[in-house]
Amino acid sequence: MSCPVYLINLPRDTRRLAVMQAQLQRLALPFEVTPAVYGRDLSAEERARLYSPALNRARFHQAMAPGEIGCYASHLQVWQRLVDSGAPHALVLEDDAELRPELPAALQAVAALPPHWDMIKLIGREPESVLQSWPLPGCAVELVRYQRAPSLTCAYLVSRDGALKLLRSRRPFFRPIDVDLRHWWEADLRLFGLTPYPAGQTDEATTSSIGSREFGAWWSRRWRKGRTQWHYSRGNTRANRALQALPDPFPELNAR
């Protein structure tokens, strides 16, 4: 497995780091720690450069918490790190990921694929509703294209082209990263997943490092949430129709 592995971890979360280090060593996966951004430590100028309150008000149903801003900024750092490295793709992990024994074989199978993908999710909700699936030789998982992309972001593969697309389209950002990546069509992101998923979440996931959100009045938030969900459903339906009109990206895998 030659692609870089980037582990996002707040320096203060030493226990999480130790758990991840043990898992990665057990699977013989070398990794690099990327210090996470602590949102409350950002200056007003840094926050304004990263996050757009105006776009947030227009296109999401509630303001982002400082921790959510820091989380997104951490992933931006990783994407830039991948671009600077020159590697074709990277494995990105948050420090609450549970790594399953199938992961190394799945990574090897993905490395043999043609570069017709930008992001492959390694965690989600089982079972998934999929548009299309492809068996991957040599491992017990298959590549899928989603009806609706899952929101979890603690384990995924991203290509260099995918990182470039996200860096161009998501500075500044205005939604939490788990929600934002579900809107893959906005960045022209070629998004797939592997199922059964070779990663999950540890018990640490129940204790978030992100912190609480900033809330507005409940009635305003409820109306805005309904509007956000309607826009997502409409955009997702249109994007899926466009995908189905395109040629099969992996005909050699005998899609079914």
Side-chain angles (χ1 to χ4, degrees), residues 12-247:
R12 68 183 185 184
D13 287 335
T14 55
R15 196 169 86 84
R16 289 186 176 213
L17 177 58
V19 170
M20 291 302 303
Q21 183 175 18
Q23 293 189 83
L24 287 159
Q25 288 177 342
R26 186 164 59 247
L27 296 177
L29 294 176
F31 68 99
E32 304 172 36
V33 176
T34 299
V37 176
Y38 188 58
R40 294 189 184 278
D41 287 346
L42 292 169
S43 67
E45 293 78 13
E46 290 171 325
R47 181 170 170 147
R49 187 169 63 251
L50 291 165
Y51 169 60
S52 171
L55 286 173
N56 172 269
R57 286 191 296 271
R59 300 177 64 181
F60 195 58
H61 59 275
Q62 60 190 21
M64 288 177 66
E68 290 174 320
I69 293 171
C71 180
Y72 208 134
S74 301
H75 284 266
L76 284 171
Q77 285 188 162
V78 167
W79 299 337
Q80 187 63 60
R81 195 166 175 176
L82 168 59
V83 169
D84 294 342
S85 76
H89 66 273
L91 171 60
V92 181
L93 300 171
E94 295 176 354
D95 61 8
D96 58 353
E98 176 194 13
L99 308 182
R100 294 170 180 161
E102 301 79 14
L103 180 59
L107 297 179
Q108 290 178 4
V110 169
L113 288 175
H116 300 156
W117 60 273
D118 294 320
M119 180 173 286
I120 299 177
K121 291 210 162 203
L122 305 179
I123 182 171
R125 306 292 187 190
E126 303 274 14
E128 296 285 3
S129 296
V130 303
L131 286 175
Q132 200 170 9
S133 64
W134 298 263
L136 290 183
C139 65
V141 301
E142 62 181 10
L143 188 70
V144 300
R145 180 175 265 164
Y146 298 104
Q147 291 272 6
R148 287 181 174 239
S151 60
L152 298 173
T153 59
C154 72
Y156 62 86
L157 288 159
V158 60
S159 71
R160 189 171 187 274
D161 285 347
L164 283 167
K165 288 178 181 180
L166 289 162
L167 289 167
R168 284 194 296 261
S169 66
R170 288 302 181 257
R171 288 189 291 198
F173 54 78
F174 55 91
R175 289 184 290 233
I177 186 170
D178 56 340
V179 178
D180 212 25
L181 292 178
R182 299 188 73 214
H183 295 72
W184 49 269
W185 58 90
E186 294 179 353
D188 192 29
L189 200 68
R190 297 170 296 179
L191 178 67
F192 298 88
L194 293 184
T195 64
Y197 288 111
Q201 284 186 302
T202 67
D203 292 340
E204 295 286 346
T206 60
T207 307
S208 174
S209 294
I210 286 179
S212 60
R213 294 178 184 262
E214 301 168 10
F215 290 100
W218 71 268
W219 55 267
S220 173
R221 193 169 67 252
R222 184 173 180 180
W223 179 85
R224 293 174 67 198
K225 185 174 183 178
R227 180 191 64 179
T228 297
Q229 291 172 336
W230 181 82
H231 279 293
Y232 171 78
S233 294
R234 183 180 67 168
N236 187 69
T237 298
R238 289 178 174 177
N240 282 346
R241 285 176 183 162
L243 277 182
Q244 290 173 309
L246 296 175

